[in-house]
Structure formats: C-alpha cells, structure tokens
Amino acid sequence: MKLRIFLFSTAVLCVALSFIFCCSPHQATLPTADEVSDVEEQHNEATTTIAATAASTIDPQNFDADLLASLVSDKINELRRTKTRCPLLRSNDILAAAANEQSRYVTQRGDLTHEQTGSANRNKRTVLDRVHLYGGTFTPVGENLLFQGFKRRVYDDGREIILYPSYDEMAKQMVRGWQNSKPHYANIIECDFNLSGVAVIYSAKKNGIFAAQVFGGN
C-alpha cells in the first residue's frame, strides 16, 4: 500500500491519496497496433464530442460530472501516450462504479481515505473489496483520490469571490496534482493497468471537487 497526502499552493488546496493492490505480479504486455488504434479512435471521438463544452466555465448549479470525468480520463491517457509505452487506459464500467462509490464516500466524509469503515461498509472496506462488489476480478487494482478546491479572490473590503475555472482547466489542475505526486504518478504510468474508471463529485460544503480514479489490469 502506498499512502501520501499532497498539499500545494496558497490559493488552491489539493489533497491526494494513492493506493495499489497487487494480488499477483505478472509481465506487462505492450498493446498491439490494432489495440492502440482502437483506443486512439475512441479518444478522438470523445475529444470531438466534448470539445465544444470543455471551455465552458464550471457552474456549480449545473455541474457536468460526466464531462469533467471524461476530460480527466483523456488527459491521463495523454500522459501515458507521451511518457510511456504502456497501453492506453480503456474505460470500464465496473471500475467507474468503484470510483463513484469511493468518491461519494469521501465527499460525505469531507476528507480523503482509501478505506470505508463501519459494519455497514464491511464489503467495501478496500478498493479491491469495492471492485469485487461490482463484479470485477482484475489483477492488479489501484486507486488515486484527490480533492481540488476552487481559487478564491479576497478584496480589501472583505468581499470574496470564487474563481470557477473551465472544465478543461480544472481537469488539467487535477491531473497535474496527481502527476506531481510520485505514488499517484506511479499508478498512472503502471503498464499492468490497462483499464480505469473515473468519478468526480462537486462539494458545495468544501467548495471543490472530490475525484477518484480506479485502475485495473486483465
């Protein structure tokens, strides 16, 4: 298990946790040309679909979680494309469900943790438990968590405004936070992972975004 808490910037708070669970090590397999082509085609189609709204400013009253999650997924794959020879991560519904489960849990708690406590959450305690709960049998699995707060501007007269970024800029900030943390980056560039699911939730109480990315290999 790898555990880190990462803080940066006086204006923005970013807290991140990283976890990897390996049931049994195995040799990473490089993608075939056809596999790379298929994933790149999916990437290009997704980029075309969301490009018109990626520049939109985040509106907390009409927050588009699917859009932000898609942008984060794309930028994670851009990192893998440029920094590694690993296969690009394909979206997986089971891992997305596990990511959503933990992002909802940490949002309700108001802080980050990889474990769910209490008897009611006995079958959801670890990321591996949560993946199994939703029917996954991946090996290995990993999890990155993050809270990204919005910037604030305070005036001399005491007035304060929140500076909401665009969806694209928020996705960049989130991925940059994970990239600048060694254990999170290690999960991102792990070649044993070829699947992932991303979930994000807006927290009005914390004035920011809680996010989870769960990785899996098969």
Side-chain angles (χ1 to χ4, degrees):
M1 176 175 175
K2 304 172 183 178
L3 178 65
R4 294 289 188 277
I5 296 178
F6 173 59
L7 302 170
F8 72 90
S9 174
T10 57
V12 182
L13 172 64
C14 174
V15 183
L17 295 180
S18 171
F19 181 97
I20 183 170
F21 190 106
C22 296
C23 295
S24 59
H26 62 275
Q27 185 67 31
T29 303
L30 293 178
T32 65
D34 288 341
E35 289 173 336
V36 171
S37 178
D38 289 344
V39 175
E40 288 182 344
E41 184 176 343
Q42 293 175 14
H43 168 81
N44 291 335
E45 289 176 354
T47 301
T48 301
T49 300
I50 65 177
T53 54
S56 302
T57 300
I58 290 176
D59 176 2
Q61 302 302 315
N62 297 286
F63 179 63
D64 192 334
D66 290 339
L67 171 61
L68 184 56
S70 294
L71 289 167
V72 169
S73 296
D74 282 350
K75 294 181 189 307
I76 291 293
N77 266 338
E78 286 175 13
L79 267 182
R80 286 173 71 95
R81 190 197 307 271
T82 58
K83 301 295 185 181
T84 75
R85 295 182 61 198
C86 300
L88 299 183
L89 297 169
R90 302 194 307 274
S91 179
N92 180 271
D93 290 342
I94 290 174
L95 297 177
N100 186 60
E101 172 68 41
Q102 194 62 9
S103 61
R104 286 192 296 106
Y105 181 78
V106 296
T107 301
Q108 291 169 2
R109 278 176 52 101
D111 61 8
L112 298 179
T113 176
H114 286 292
E115 292 195 354
Q116 293 195 20
T117 58
S119 58
N121 300 318
R122 195 173 305 153
N123 60 344
K124 307 175 187 177
R125 188 174 66 85
T126 69
V127 59
L128 189 62
D129 291 334
R130 294 185 289 274
V131 170
H132 286 170
L133 176 67
Y134 289 102
T137 58
F138 310 107
T139 301
V141 297
E143 180 177 77
N144 282 352
L145 301 177
L146 174 141
F147 172 77
Q148 182 75 46
F150 296 122
K151 292 182 180 180
R152 296 171 179 266
R153 177 177 294 166
V154 181
Y155 293 92
D156 292 339
D157 60 6
R159 287 183 299 116
E160 180 178 284
I161 62 171
I162 300 172
L163 305 175
Y164 294 108
S166 69
Y167 282 94
D168 189 66
E169 180 56 35
M170 175 56 80
K172 288 178 181 177
Q173 292 175 20
M174 293 164 67
V175 173
R176 191 181 305 127
W178 277 332
Q179 183 182 6
N180 290 337
S181 171
K182 287 184 178 180
H184 299 90
Y185 187 59
N187 276 349
I188 290 171
I189 64 172
E190 174 56 64
C191 287
D192 281 349
F193 295 140
N194 62 344
L195 304 167
S196 88
V198 175
V200 300
I201 294 181
Y202 166 70
S203 171
K205 183 177 181 180
K206 288 290 187 177
N207 189 41
I209 306 294
F210 282 95
Q213 181 169 23
V214 178
F215 304 86
N218 59 11

